[in-house]
Amino acid sequence: MRAVSVNKVFCLQTLGIFETIGSKISLGTSKKFVDFRKHLGKVSKNTLFLNRIKRKIMTKADTIFKENITKIMEEGVWSEQARPKYKDGTTANSKYITGSFAEYDLSKGEFPITTLRPIAIKSAIKEVFWIYQDQTNSLDVLEDKYNVHYWNDWEVEDVPANNGDKRSIGQRYGAVVKKHDIINRLLAQLEANPWNRRNVISLWDYEAFEETAGLQPCAFQTMFDVRRVGEDIYLDATLTQRSNDMLVAHHINAMQYVALQMMIAKHFGWKIGKFFYFVNNLHVYDNQFEQAEELLKRQPSDCQPRLILNVPDGTNFFDIKPEDFELVDYDPVKPQLKFDLAI
């Protein structure tokens, strides 16, 4: 019997369907022809078949998520002399890998957010405003203005905030941004010369670490570059993170800094480009192994989530509000998973 030959068959994976142009299959010596288009037309009516195809199509973020979990669980090494503790006081050990890197082309709709579980994107973006607009370490501002409470576990007692409030996380994050006037300096030098190669946000401040206690910043460095493509200027960003809780915080941190990238791009009327994400120590805690296995079993949701900033080009960085952001086409897999955080 002769081999089956198919001419001009194109697979439109993103739609979960197949289309053929003038396609025919020749079978055996009988030389009977089957109209492949009609055949696939019948198949396309099978909803179950289509759903199975769609479930196999993962976003880039979901693919990277599963690959990282698998690598950590299979190839990761155990932490030693671990600093974090669970709320019951026991040591929070983890399995980890080093040197994790990912690249997302935001201009093509590749956003670093998983569909395998719900991600609290609104709270995550509010934290960016707390750090880079309010430029404070005040827990009162974070709670009263944004209704975000999870930073309370990292409160540093008897250390007032840089705005005079009583409760703070120590001289960290927003306090360091304010101390060095980082955002105003960054915007000024991008305006003076967008192609300069010195657009760096660094929250790693040894002087501040010595001044007070407090969690040293995990996502501590961001760099920005522009590219001209045709008539458009694209803003790229690189986030460097010393440590990251893969299951809980990975997509939260990534999307926070995508939001910051979008705010800066809007300030200048540029387009968003690529987002590069480097994590030095990427880990799964030893009380999360069951959740890791569950995430590996889950089939991704049939959606392509995108973050949109609904303000005109040229909107001042400090005039943008959290509610200006909109996450569209996001329908994550449920139920949500529960995690006991390491502090």
Side-chain angles (χ1 to χ4, degrees):
M1 180 175 291
R2 297 178 183 174
V4 177
S5 62
V6 181
N7 299 322
K8 299 180 181 179
V9 179
F10 297 89
C11 177
L12 302 181
Q13 289 183 327
T14 56
L15 298 178
I17 63 174
F18 296 95
E19 181 179 356
T20 63
I21 303 176
S23 300
K24 294 183 179 181
I25 299 178
S26 176
L27 298 175
T29 57
S30 63
K31 296 184 180 180
K32 292 181 179 179
F33 292 96
V34 178
D35 189 321
F36 201 44
R37 181 186 296 276
K38 290 182 179 179
H39 172 70
L40 287 175
K42 294 177 182 178
V43 174
S44 66
K45 295 178 182 179
N46 189 327
T47 303
L48 179 60
F49 178 79
L50 281 176
N51 287 338
R52 285 175 179 172
I53 293 174
K54 289 179 181 179
R55 284 199 296 267
K56 293 179 181 179
I57 303 170
M58 292 197 293
T59 63
K60 187 169 188 177
D62 284 336
T63 299
I64 293 172
F65 194 29
K66 286 198 171 189
E67 287 175 351
N68 281 337
I69 294 173
T70 300
K71 188 172 183 179
I72 292 171
M73 299 305 293
E74 294 182 356
E75 303 176 23
V77 298
W78 282 99
S79 60
E80 300 181 35
Q81 302 182 45
R83 177 201 59 81
K85 305 287 184 182
Y86 297 124
K87 288 187 176 180
D88 63 5
T90 59
T91 299
N93 287 303
S94 62
K95 292 188 75 173
Y96 69 94
I97 57 175
T98 56
S100 171
F101 177 80
E103 175 183 338
Y104 296 89
D105 193 337
L106 306 176
S107 67
K108 295 180 179 179
E110 297 174 357
F111 282 83
I113 183 169
T114 185
T115 71
L116 298 175
R117 77 173 189 90
I119 300 297
I121 190 65
K122 291 183 179 180
S123 296
I125 290 176
K126 289 176 181 178
E127 186 181 324
V128 168
F129 281 79
W130 176 57
I131 296 171
Y132 293 104
Q133 271 195 3
D134 299 296
Q135 300 181 11
T136 184
N137 55 354
S138 169
L139 288 170
D140 297 307
V141 170
L142 188 59
E143 287 191 340
D144 297 342
K145 184 175 181 179
Y146 299 112
N147 195 30
V148 174
H149 305 276
Y150 52 78
W151 269 98
N152 288 344
D153 289 328
W154 286 276
E155 179 179 353
V156 178
E157 295 182 359
D158 302 322
V159 175
N162 67 336
N163 66 349
D165 289 342
K166 293 182 178 180
R167 301 168 58 238
S168 84
I169 59 170
Q171 296 304 308
R172 304 291 187 268
Y173 289 99
V176 172
V177 173
K178 181 72 172 180
K179 172 184 175 181
H180 298 288
D181 196 19
I182 289 175
I183 291 299
N184 284 324
R185 290 186 179 189
L186 178 72
L187 295 176
Q189 65 189 39
L190 279 169
E191 183 174 5
N193 179 10
W195 284 270
N196 85 85
R197 299 189 293 264
R198 300 174 181 178
N199 305 306
V200 180
I201 293 175
S202 178
L203 305 181
W204 201 258
D205 186 333
Y206 282 105
E207 186 179 80
F209 300 161
E210 294 174 358
E211 184 179 350
T212 72
L215 179 67
Q216 294 183 354
C218 297
F220 72 92
Q221 180 176 272
T222 320
M223 297 180 287
F224 301 93
D225 268 289
V226 300
R227 291 177 292 117
R228 185 184 296 278
V229 181
E231 297 298 319
D232 297 317
I233 294 179
Y234 289 82
L235 181 68
D236 298 335
T238 301
L239 174 62
T240 303
Q241 195 157 348
R242 65 171 178 85
S243 175
N244 182 253
D245 180 344
M246 180 70 206
L247 303 192
V248 174
H250 191 73
H251 302 103
I252 289 175
N253 293 146
M255 290 295 284
Q256 285 177 320
Y257 281 85
V258 165
L260 180 64
Q261 178 182 357
M262 295 175 75
M263 292 168 70
I264 296 172
K266 278 292 186 180
H267 179 90
F268 293 103
W270 299 334
K271 296 184 180 298
I272 53 169
K274 295 180 180 180
F275 177 75
F276 306 100
Y277 190 19
F278 178 81
V279 180
N280 189 58
N281 183 301
L282 186 63
H283 50 266
V284 173
Y285 284 106
D286 59 3
N287 68 348
Q288 300 175 346
F289 290 172
E290 289 186 7
Q291 293 93 323
E293 292 298 326
E294 168 62 22
L295 287 166
L296 289 175
K297 293 176 184 176
R298 287 188 173 184
Q299 293 292 336
S301 174
D302 180 29
C303 62
Q304 297 288 327
R306 305 181 314 282
L307 189 63
I308 297 174
L309 179 51
N310 294 309
V311 297
D313 288 345
T315 298
N316 187 281
F317 178 91
F318 293 99
D319 291 335
I320 298 171
K321 301 177 178 61
E323 54 267 30
D324 293 328
F325 282 96
E326 181 183 5
L327 185 63
V328 299
D329 196 15
Y330 185 55
D331 183 23
V333 178
K334 298 176 182 178
Q336 177 63 286
L337 301 176
K338 294 183 179 180
F339 299 92
D340 292 325
L341 296 181
I343 308 301

